[in-house]
Amino acid sequence: MQQLRLTLGPVLYYWPRAELLDFYQQVATWPVDVVYLGETVCARRREMKLDDWLAIAQDLAQAGKQVVLATQTLLESAADQRQLVRLIEAAQAHAAVSLVEASDMSAVEICTQLEQPFVAGPALNLYNPQSLALLARCGLKRWVFPLELSRTCLAEMQAWIQQHHPELETEVWGYGRAPLAWSARCFSARAQNLPKDRCQFVCQQHPQGLPLSSQEGAALFTLNGIQTLSAQPLSLLDQGASLAQLQVTHLRLSPEHTDMSQLLERAAALKDPQQPPADPLKLVDLHSCNGYWYGLPGMTYQPPAPK
């Protein structure tokens, strides 16, 4: 049985440059196998340049990590398109970068044209084997299972992969606030009565997003610029047995403004299928959600089955 590999997704929030540089210095020492780098949410977040990401990639590769450059999810201008091409060309030319994560279909098209292998990000909506077969012909090496689908859907997709494309790797979102939607409007700016093009980068004031509650006071969403996230982190850290049975190859943890090192230490317990399983209750965050995995409303939490 293949060992599960831990991945660290791109930072979704707008953290200051100095904080990001310090964060990735720590990442180099953590038990994570793959690191995704880059700004995937908003083109106005420009503190980190492409050269900065490539320098971090170099350091992480030297620390033994596989590095993937992630692309922007919602492209809104010709300038965004040019930056996308520049990023993919830089990834292809840089020895420290192994793959590109395609966050939209224009990135898939450019990767195909340049013969650049890629990961299909969670926003690509790969809901059926036909979609996987198409992208496999374009250079797909790994796909991220859509967050809103159930483990039953994953089982069906995995059965097809094992029969037709056993070389494809499958990554599942293991922890972090789930990205639900992207919009041309910036909700973080709107909350401060600011226009998007003069937002004053207010999203940087909310390093773990801006909580949005219902009129009844229940946690509903998290606003992150143009991105809407779940209110609570989606966690599958108590699903080690299911992940192994479904032959998942990679488990993604999305950076949150918390102690990620402790979280990764807990997740590392899932990597070795030969070790006795950890107590699910010690792995799960009781303030998390996992409804989609069970075919339930996403914001619900299904506790681990008793032993």
Side-chain angles (χ1 to χ4, degrees):
M1 183 179 294
Q2 184 175 353
Q3 185 184 66
L4 184 70
R5 304 185 75 195
L6 293 182
T7 78
L8 188 69
V11 174
L12 301 180
Y13 309 103
Y14 192 22
W15 294 349
R17 182 176 185 276
E19 185 173 342
L20 278 172
L21 294 176
D22 178 67
F23 175 75
Y24 284 110
Q25 282 186 344
Q26 298 177 58
V27 170
T29 67
W30 292 349
V32 60
D33 304 292
V34 183
V35 182
Y36 292 79
L37 299 175
E39 175 54 52
T40 65
V41 177
C42 180
R44 288 180 56 79
R45 300 175 176 179
R46 301 191 185 102
E47 279 196 35
M48 293 289 289
K49 310 299 184 186
L50 179 55
D51 287 344
D52 294 322
W53 292 118
L54 293 175
I56 293 173
Q58 184 67 42
D59 292 341
L60 291 173
Q62 290 177 352
K65 316 299 184 186
Q66 183 190 60
V67 179
V68 182
L69 277 190
T71 68
Q72 190 176 321
T73 303
L74 181 62
L75 303 180
E76 300 184 72
S77 68
D80 290 350
Q81 188 76 11
R82 289 192 296 270
Q83 179 63 17
L84 172 64
V85 173
R86 181 170 173 249
L87 182 145
I88 295 174
E89 290 177 341
Q92 193 169 44
H94 204 289
V97 179
S98 299
L99 296 166
V100 167
E101 178 173 76
S103 300
D104 83 321
M105 288 305 295
S106 61
V108 171
E109 181 178 6
I110 296 168
C111 286
T112 304
Q113 292 171 354
L114 297 178
E115 299 184 351
Q116 167 62 46
F118 63 92
V119 178
L124 284 191
N125 300 334
L126 299 177
Y127 295 150
N128 53 63
Q130 291 81 2
S131 299
L132 285 178
L134 174 63
L135 294 196
R137 295 195 295 270
C138 297
L140 178 68
K141 298 301 180 186
R142 180 161 71 242
W143 70 297
V144 182
F145 181 62
L147 284 70
E148 65 271 28
L149 297 186
S150 70
R151 60 182 178 180
T152 301
C153 294
L154 179 58
E156 295 171 356
M157 298 283 272
Q158 289 293 81
W160 180 88
I161 286 174
Q162 293 306 313
Q163 183 176 357
H164 297 281
H165 285 280
E167 76 284 358
L168 280 184
E169 298 174 334
T170 298
E171 184 168 342
V172 168
W173 189 280
Y175 185 88
R177 287 183 176 85
L180 303 173
W182 292 258
S183 170
R185 169 172 286 184
C186 177
F187 296 111
S188 296
R190 182 69 174 173
Q192 300 295 326
N193 293 317
L194 294 169
K196 179 181 177 182
D197 58 354
R198 295 193 299 277
C199 65
Q200 301 178 27
F201 305 107
V202 293
C203 54
Q204 202 169 69
Q205 300 172 14
H206 306 284
Q208 52 189 357
L210 181 63
L212 177 66
S213 301
S214 68
Q215 291 183 335
E216 293 75 25
L220 193 59
F221 299 117
T222 300
L223 302 182
N224 177 38
I226 68 170
Q227 185 183 57
T228 302
L229 303 166
S230 60
Q232 304 295 348
L234 187 160
S235 178
L236 298 181
L237 296 183
D238 60 335
Q239 296 295 316
S242 293
L243 296 170
Q245 183 180 17
L246 291 167
Q247 300 184 62
V248 171
T249 60
H250 294 70
L251 187 69
R252 176 176 298 203
L253 284 74
S254 184
E256 294 286 346
H257 209 257
T258 184
D259 190 344
M260 292 297 296
S261 62
Q262 288 191 8
L263 187 68
L264 277 160
E265 287 177 5
R266 286 193 290 160
L270 305 176
K271 292 181 64 172
D272 188 354
Q274 303 304 321
Q275 293 296 322
D279 183 351
L281 288 174
K282 293 182 179 179
L283 291 171
V284 75
D285 180 350
L286 296 180
H287 298 288
S288 62
C289 58
N290 61 10
Y292 288 140
W293 184 248
Y294 292 98
L296 302 171
M299 64 175 62
T300 59
Y301 170 70
Q302 181 78 12
K307 294 182 179 180

